[in-house]
Amino acid sequence: MTALPAGLATIPFDNSYARLPERFFARLPPTPVTEPGLVRVNRELAEALGLDADALASPTGIEILAGNRVPDGADPLAMAYAGHQFGGWVPQLGDGRAILLGEVIGRDGIRRDLQLKGAGRTPFSRGGDGRAALGPVLREYIVSEAMHRLGIPTTRALAAVTTGQPVYRETMLPGAVLTRVARSHIRVGTFQYFAARRDSEGTRSLADHVIARHYPEAADAERPYLALLDAVIGAQARLVAQWLGIGFIHGVMNTDNTSIAGETIDYGPCAFMDRYHPQTVYSSIDHAGRYAFANQPAIVQWNLAQLAQCLLPIIDENEDRALAAAQHAIDGFPAVFEAALTVVLEGKLGLAEPRDGDLALAQDLMSRMAENGADFTLTFRGLADLLDPPAENPQCDSPGPRAQFQDPTAFDTWAEAWQARLAEDAKPAKERAAALRAANPAVIPRNHLVEEAIRAAEDNGDLAPFEALLLALTNPYEDLPEHARYQQPPRPDQVVRQTFCGT
């Protein structure tokens, strides 16, 4: 075997999860593919991780990203976990098509996982082929990088490669592997795996690992594992509040897709709303609307309750005290979430100093949006135009939020109350408009644009739309003339009504 290029021979792996007991995972290498080819290396992320992007894009680097070669210092494994999927209990899930290569500590001092998604069958594959198609890989690359640029905690895409091998779903599709980066891949379902087996020592070892890795302040609490639960509740409350602030629908909020680190993870049938309605669902497998836009806060509370149940044996030796403490923590979720959502929505309305009634003011606008078919992103983005009109801001040619309403007077009535509320804050109009534009994106990965990029790549091998969309999403809070088409809602013939999981 030839020596690794210098930039790959020095990947600074430090694999803490692999040092946990063997029952936490299955050790195995990725399954090689026939003809790996580079789609993209995320150079900015590689730099942040202290990795050599040129080395990753080299022939040997592509071999590593495809799973054909294991780099020095890696300790590849598939993680074990369980979970509730659409409310139904599955006692064993696990990484059925992903291999955790190892962990690196980035230039910011934060430890992150490097995982190959689509890297072949594992003991947890449950009859699956362990592979990923190019379309879902591109979707996750686009949306996860967009979320990062929008300021939402998320896993990220370090690279994507093709495999030279087809995968078979409803039809034959080109195969691909995504290199995913996460603060960790530990999920609520990871805790459920041990709790279901009445493995209290496994639960304790996992909790200690999570505290050390993500919530070190919990170690000094009187009840460290209750403090851990409180920390995860806070992280998830803030995360879902941020989702609601950008019109994001995860689509498959199973417990095995709920990150203990508080990151958005597993971009399957995810979508960003065009026209706002609280019961919007895009996922082709969510037939009952369990994971509709407005249901996401209640669902994450339910998921967190499953985590609390797992932690009961280690929260307190006394079962009644443990249950009371955990129940109190879960019952506190709505208040924690409402506080987080209020902060998000106050920013979206340009409110500098919080007041009672701010949340109701935002909810009134959204109710009117739902009744009038208003575009979520354009309505909020357009609020700044009322304070800093396009004529004074040539880069912005938005028709304004009023134009989004089937009955514009519904917006006018709300805007009167909004203007009265703004008058209570002493802030210059242009300064407030700048704050509004910093809180309300101009560009999101709209479903029709993501689909356009996927179709071009899968059908024609054309990655230009993928690259162009990624470029437009680099500065989502700026109005750039060259990215005007990415700010527009879909025409009727472009509307995407369903998104797919891709597994």
Side-chain angles (χ1 to χ4, degrees), residues 264-279:
T264 315
I265 191 171
D266 286 335
Y267 293 92
C270 61
F272 285 74
M273 278 193 294
D274 295 311
R275 292 186 173 188
Y276 172 73
H277 194 282
Q279 294 307 313

Side-chain angles (χ1 to χ4, degrees), residues 17 79-83 85 93-96 98 113 115 117 140 155 180 182 184-194 206 210 214 232 236 250 252 254-267 303 306-307 310:
Y17 201 85
M79 298 171 67
Y81 51 85
Q85 298 193 320
L93 293 167
D95 288 331
D113 288 353
Q115 183 197 70
K117 188 174 180 181
E140 180 156 351
T155 62
R180 182 163 68 182
S184 79
H185 285 85
I186 301 168
R187 310 137 188 275
V188 169
T190 317
F191 280 92
Q192 290 181 291
Y193 180 84
F194 296 102
L206 181 62
V210 169
H214 297 303
V232 178
Q236 282 292 332
H250 185 281
V252 60
N254 299 327
T255 57
D256 58 295
N257 293 336
T258 302
S259 163
I260 293 296
E263 292 183 321
T264 315
I265 191 171
D266 286 335
Y267 293 92
N303 290 352
Q306 311 316 306
L307 173 63
C310 296

Side-chain angles (χ1 to χ4, degrees), residues 30 47 66 82 161-162 207 244 247 424:
E47 170 67 22
V161 297
T162 53
L244 299 196
E424 298 177 14

Side-chain angles (χ1 to χ4, degrees), residues 415-444:
E416 290 177 8
W418 178 58
Q419 293 282 5
R421 171 64 183 85
L422 293 183
E424 298 177 14
D425 288 342
K427 193 169 188 176
K430 283 187 175 292
E431 185 180 333
R432 195 188 304 275
L436 279 164
R437 292 189 177 105
N440 295 304
V443 183
I444 58 168

Side-chain angles (χ1 to χ4, degrees), residues 31-118:
T31 302
V33 301
T34 57
E35 192 177 348
L38 183 65
V39 174
R40 195 173 203 272
V41 167
N42 187 335
R43 291 181 170 272
E44 176 195 68
L45 179 54
E47 170 67 22
L49 294 173
L51 305 180
D52 187 330
D54 289 332
L56 288 172
S58 71
T60 303
I62 296 169
E63 291 279 319
I64 290 172
L65 297 172
N68 285 18
R69 184 165 184 166
V70 176
D72 296 341
D75 196 348
L77 58 87
M79 298 171 67
Y81 51 85
H84 281 90
Q85 298 193 320
F86 287 89
W89 172 242
V90 184
Q92 180 168 299
L93 293 167
D95 288 331
R97 58 178 179 146
I99 299 291
L100 175 63
L101 284 183
E103 303 157 25
V104 298
I105 298 174
R107 296 184 188 278
D108 57 4
I110 295 176
R111 179 185 297 273
R112 293 180 175 87
D113 288 353
L114 297 185
Q115 183 197 70
L116 300 184
K117 188 174 180 181

Side-chain angles (χ1 to χ4, degrees), residues 314-327:
I314 62 174
I315 285 176
D316 197 297
E317 293 181 357
N318 182 285
E319 185 176 341
D320 291 338
R321 287 199 304 264
L323 181 59
Q327 188 66 58

Side-chain angles (χ1 to χ4, degrees), residues 40-43 45-46 137-138 140-142 144-145 154-160 178-182:
R40 195 173 203 272
V41 167
N42 187 335
R43 291 181 170 272
L45 179 54
V137 164
L138 296 184
E140 180 156 351
Y141 198 122
I142 292 165
S144 63
E145 285 304 296
T154 181
T155 62
R156 295 188 65 188
L158 175 62
L178 178 78
T179 304
R180 182 163 68 182
V181 175

